[in-house]
Amino acid sequence: MNRYTRIAGTGSYLPPRRVTNADLAAELAARGLETSDQWIVERTGIRARHFAAPDVTSSDLAVHACRQAMESAGVGPADIDLIIMATSTPDMVFPSAACILQNKLGIAGCPAFDLQAVCSGFVYALTVADSMIRSGVATRALVVGAEVFSRILDFNDRTTCVLFGDGAGAVVLEASDQPGILATDLHADGKHVGILCVPGTVSGGQVLGDPFLKMDGQAVFKLAVGVLEDAARATLAKAGRTDADIDWLIPHQANIRIMQGTAKKLKMPLDKLVVTVDEHGNTSAASIPLALDVAVRSGRIRRGDTLMLEGVGGGFTWGAVLVDY
């Protein structure tokens, strides 16, 4: 019997504090910087984002999303035999946020590790979990993307601080005799490190370099649209499917113009594009599972639908996953 991986349940969580563009504009004005709701919406499609309280960590957000996903899948802590957490903002240098999450969920013994591919993290994590399930190493995996990007934003840089938010999204994956994850396609190119990075580190009890996010927006935009289309087409080819087979496109929620541009290249109507960037902002590794859960719980995505998930992020990393939900 062939062994496949299917999505058994989804979950998500946003911290309670919702920050609108008007809220952010007022905060920036106090710093002598000018921005507005219109300026942000026209360039990004973002209207609001959520920020975690100062004492809330990525694993704290992940706990809520994972519990919701486990409830959706009808499983308990004892049923999970693999945890992968995609994050660029872990609780501490080490141990991994996944191990901290594992303890908070009351799970012990199974492998748990972080995966760092920035905004492509969830796509990377799905691919790794799928490989481990197909090979028999795991049977039921918890895959979560969780971020507190508000901690690494420079609020004296209006071009980046308006883009990002905090949140978590999770799925339970399980072994199945029916295809679920059909194909994946992952890439990276380190020569683009400088266009999106946080170039600081901890050494000798101090931060060396710059601990804030830096981005060349135009360079990222130009690169993103092209690689997302390529990854989607490569994934379709591996699965023996075509553009017409995609029911829903769930891209990384970074910028509405990048998302719409990708949809058009795949000849998809915009009403089949799942959009949460307007309310969530860019939540990095959390953005795809957050959008997936929102669309599932709203009833738009139903069992049997074919989903294209794709992400692009610092590294530069990118990839896609085709799923029969």
Side-chain angles (χ1 to χ4, degrees):
M1 182 183 74
N2 289 327
R3 186 178 173 98
Y4 302 101
T5 305
R6 66 180 290 270
I7 296 176
T10 66
S12 63
Y13 180 76
L14 294 164
R17 184 188 170 203
R18 180 175 181 267
V19 181
T20 66
N21 289 343
D23 296 331
L24 207 51
E27 182 177 336
L28 294 182
R31 297 170 178 260
L33 300 173
E34 183 181 344
T35 192
S36 67
D37 175 69
Q38 182 181 1
W39 188 89
I40 298 169
V41 171
E42 285 180 355
R43 286 160 178 78
T44 68
I46 299 168
R47 298 184 182 277
R49 74 286 293 145
H50 290 249
F51 285 165
D55 60 341
V56 173
T57 65
S58 288
S59 71
D60 289 330
L61 301 181
V63 165
H64 294 286
C66 288
R67 285 177 176 157
Q68 202 177 73
M70 291 164 67
E71 180 181 357
S72 171
V75 302
D79 300 310
I80 301 298
D81 59 8
L82 171 66
I83 300 172
I84 305 178
M85 181 163 165
T87 186
S88 299
T89 52
D91 298 23
M92 56 184 74
V93 173
F94 72 83
S96 69
C99 285
I100 298 169
L101 170 65
Q102 182 187 45
N103 181 56
K104 289 176 179 178
L105 290 171
I107 301 171
C110 74
F113 57 91
D114 288 357
L115 192 153
Q116 221 288 42
V118 201
C119 303
S120 306
F122 186 74
V123 168
Y124 266 64
L126 277 183
T127 302
V128 172
D130 175 47
S131 297
M132 294 179 74
I133 289 174
R134 283 178 183 248
S135 67
V137 173
T139 297
R140 192 169 285 110
L142 199 51
V143 180
V144 56
E147 304 282 14
V148 283
F149 254 57
S150 58
R151 310 284 161 77
I152 55 174
L153 299 180
D154 181 357
F155 286 93
N156 290 308
D157 178 5
R158 71 168 188 165
T159 64
T160 59
C161 72
V162 300
L163 303 177
F164 296 89
D166 304 336
V171 297
V172 172
L173 300 179
E174 64 181 19
S176 172
D177 59 0
Q178 298 296 317
I181 293 179
L182 303 173
T184 67
D185 188 64
L186 300 181
H187 299 274
D189 190 342
K191 74 184 178 189
H192 299 293
V193 164
I195 66 174
L196 180 55
C197 61
V198 178
T201 188
V202 177
S203 176
Q206 296 180 321
V207 174
L208 295 187
D210 194 326
F212 292 122
L213 183 146
K214 305 296 178 186
M215 183 174 72
D216 180 340
Q218 288 188 332
V220 169
F221 186 98
K222 184 177 179 180
L223 186 63
V225 175
V227 298
L228 286 174
E229 181 190 9
D230 291 345
R233 295 204 178 281
T235 306
L236 287 167
K238 290 178 184 179
R241 301 285 184 93
T242 69
D243 299 358
D245 294 315
I246 303 172
D247 294 307
W248 295 97
L249 177 64
I250 311 177
H252 167 50
Q253 307 284 314
N255 181 304
I256 191 63
R257 292 185 295 162
I258 294 175
M259 294 159 59
Q260 290 175 343
T262 304
K264 288 175 182 176
K265 289 193 171 188
L266 294 175
K267 301 180 178 64
M268 293 196 65
L270 294 183
D271 61 358
K272 290 298 184 179
L273 174 68
V274 176
V275 177
T276 57
V277 69
D278 54 334
E279 280 296 316
H280 298 174
N282 181 344
T283 55
S284 190
S287 80
I288 293 173
L290 265 168
L292 170 62
D293 185 59
V294 167
V296 167
R297 291 179 186 273
S298 69
R300 282 176 288 169
I301 291 178
R302 302 173 183 273
R303 285 293 177 189
D305 286 351
T306 299
L307 320 176
M308 176 64 77
L309 316 180
E310 55 178 9
V312 58
F316 220 71
T317 64
W318 65 94
V321 178
L322 190 67
V323 182
D324 275 349
Y325 182 73

